[in-house]
Amino acid sequence: MSVVAVGWQAWGMRLATWNVNSVKARLPRLLAWLDENAPDVVCLQETKCRADQFPAAEVEELGYTAAVHGDGRWNGVAVLSRVGVDDVSMGFPGEPAYAGEPDDQQLTLAEPVPQVPEARAIGVTCGGVRVWSLYAPNGRTPDSAHYRYKLEWFAALREALAAELASGTPLVACGDYNVAPTDDDVWDPAVFVDSTHVTPSERQALADLRALGLHDVVPTPMKGPFPYTYWDYRAGAFHKNLGMRIDLFYASADVAGRVRSAYVDREARKGKGPSDHAPVVVDID
DNA sequence: ATGCCATACCCGGTATGA
C-alpha cells in the first residue's frame, strides 16, 4: 500500500511545525516525538546546522525523507516527509539578504554581512500539498536595519506565495513567524510596548498574507485559554504560562476547510532539554 | 507539577534569540 501515490485527499494527513532550537541538540527528543506522534509532514525551524550536518539518516530510520536548507550556526529550516518530497525550493524568488547598514548600532566587524539570503525558507511538495517551512527574521528592535529587513522579507514572501497560490495548489505556509498576531497572543502586551513582534507593521505583514487567501489555523491550547507556542527558558516562564503565539500555520482555503483538529503539543515543552517552542500539530481529513 | 537560559563556535567569551 502506498500512501505516497494516493496523497492527502484520500487519506488525510498529519502536519506539524516546530522550532526545535538546534536539530542536533534536540535530536533525541525529536526522534522520540516523531515516533510517538507519527506526523506525515514536519516543518522544522532553527535547525542551526549546515545541510551536510543534518541528521538525515536518523530520521530516515523512522521513515522520513528530509529536505534541508541550512547555512551554519544560525537559522536553518527543513521539511521531513513520509508522503513524498518533490520540487524542493531553497528560499523563494526575491528573498532579500540581510545587510547591516552604517547607522545600525548593532552591526559589528565580528558580524559578517551575508551576500546571499539566509536559510529561512524551504518549500517542498508533499503528497500533493505545497508545504513551506518558514523562519522569519527576529527584527531585534523597531529602529534597526534588521527590523526593516524583516518587513522586506515578509513583503517578498507575500509575492512568492501569491505566485504559487495562483496555480491553485493546496498550500500551507507554517513556521516561526516571529510576530504575535494579536495582543491575546502575548502574555502581557505592556511588556512589549516599543518592541518587535507586536508592531502594527509586523501585524500588517501577516494581514497581507491572509489577504492572499491564507487562513490562520489557530490551534487549541492544551492548557489555559491561549494557544501559546513559545515560552522563554528564563524565569520559569513556561511554568507561569508567560508565553507567546508566534508559530503559525497558514493554509489555503481548501486545506483550511479540511482541518479536523489543531493543537499545541505543550507536552513537548516539558521535561529535560526541551526547545523553547512547542510543536503545532494539524490533522487534515 | 511543566521548574527558574540555551545554542554554536571555539575553548572563555561572544552573538543571538523574542
Side-chain angles (χ1 to χ4, degrees), chain A residues 15 32 51 141 145 148 180 239 244 262 282:
Chain A
L15 299 100
T141 60
R148 295 189 286 278
H239 171 62
M244 307 174 75
V282 177

Side-chain angles (χ1 to χ4, degrees), chain A residues 149-162:
Chain A
Y149 159 62
K150 182 178 191 176
L151 295 180
E152 291 165 3
W153 188 88
F154 273 120
L157 175 66
R158 180 191 181 284
E159 295 308 308
L161 293 181

Side-chain angles (χ1 to χ4, degrees), chain A residues 138-143 147 150 178-180 186-203 244:
Chain A
N138 173 284
R140 298 182 187 168
T141 60
D143 62 350
Y147 178 82
K150 182 178 191 176
N178 268 322
V179 180
V186 296
W187 76 91
D188 183 2
V191 174
F192 286 86
V193 172
D194 296 326
S195 297
T196 60
H197 295 64
V198 302
T199 65
S201 294
E202 289 167 284
R203 287 174 171 171
M244 307 174 75

Side-chain angles (χ1 to χ4, degrees), chain A residues 2-285:
Chain A
S2 172
V3 175
V4 177
V6 175
W8 70 292
Q9 299 197 32
W11 292 96
M13 287 175 67
R14 165 166 283 189
L15 299 100
T17 182
W18 192 8
N19 179 323
V20 290
N21 187 16
S22 170
V23 71
K24 289 193 289 183
R26 214 65 57 216
L27 186 59
R29 293 198 56 139
L30 173 63
L31 295 177
W33 190 84
L34 292 173
D35 192 50
E36 182 174 354
N37 294 276
D40 296 298
V41 178
V42 185
C43 295
L44 302 176
Q45 300 87 36
E46 284 206 85
T47 49
K48 291 186 173 177
C49 66
R50 299 189 309 271
D52 63 286
Q53 298 172 312
F54 192 92
E58 288 86 343
V59 299
E60 179 88 38
E61 287 187 18
L62 296 177
Y64 295 92
T65 301
V68 178
H69 186 26
D71 53 21
R73 66 185 293 197
W74 308 119
N75 315 310
V77 287
V79 175
L80 310 183
S81 173
R82 61 179 193 182
V83 293
V85 169
D86 294 296
D87 300 322
V88 177
S89 300
M90 308 285 188
F92 50 81
E95 186 174 13
Y98 173 63
E101 297 173 4
D103 63 350
D104 183 357
Q105 299 296 314
Q106 303 192 54
L107 179 65
T108 67
L109 291 175
E111 180 181 10
V113 178
Q115 301 300 309
V116 298
E118 297 170 315
R120 296 185 176 277
I122 186 169
V124 184
T125 300
C126 305
V129 181
R130 186 64 173 164
V131 177
W132 282 93
S133 179
L134 304 170
Y135 176 53
N138 173 284
R140 298 182 187 168
T141 60
D143 62 350
S144 69
H146 204 267
Y147 178 82
R148 295 189 286 278
Y149 159 62
K150 182 178 191 176
L151 295 180
E152 291 165 3
W153 188 88
F154 273 120
L157 175 66
R158 180 191 181 284
E159 295 308 308
L161 293 181
E164 292 206 344
L165 287 164
S167 72
T169 186
L171 183 146
V172 301
C174 57
D176 182 353
Y177 278 72
N178 268 322
V179 180
T182 74
D183 280 353
D184 278 344
D185 296 311
V186 296
W187 76 91
D188 183 2
V191 174
F192 286 86
V193 172
D194 296 326
S195 297
T196 60
H197 295 64
V198 302
T199 65
S201 294
E202 289 167 284
R203 287 174 171 171
Q204 184 61 49
L206 296 186
D208 291 344
L209 291 174
R210 294 193 299 271
L212 298 174
L214 291 171
H215 296 253
D216 183 359
V217 178
V218 181
T220 301
M222 300 302 283
K223 181 185 178 184
F226 303 111
Y228 298 145
T229 64
Y230 161 85
W231 301 261
D232 197 290
Y233 284 122
R234 292 165 285 190
F238 181 63
H239 171 62
K240 293 180 274 193
N241 200 26
L242 304 181
M244 307 174 75
R245 184 172 80 98
I246 54 177
D247 300 274
L248 307 179
F249 193 101
Y250 276 14
S252 58
D254 44 6
V255 176
R258 300 178 79 140
V259 172
R260 184 198 319 155
S261 69
Y263 61 93
V264 180
D265 183 8
R266 58 194 309 288
E267 295 298 314
R269 182 62 177 78
K270 301 177 182 177
K272 180 177 173 56
S275 170
D276 42 3
H277 296 249
V280 173
V281 181
V282 177
D283 287 318
I284 295 170
D285 286 325

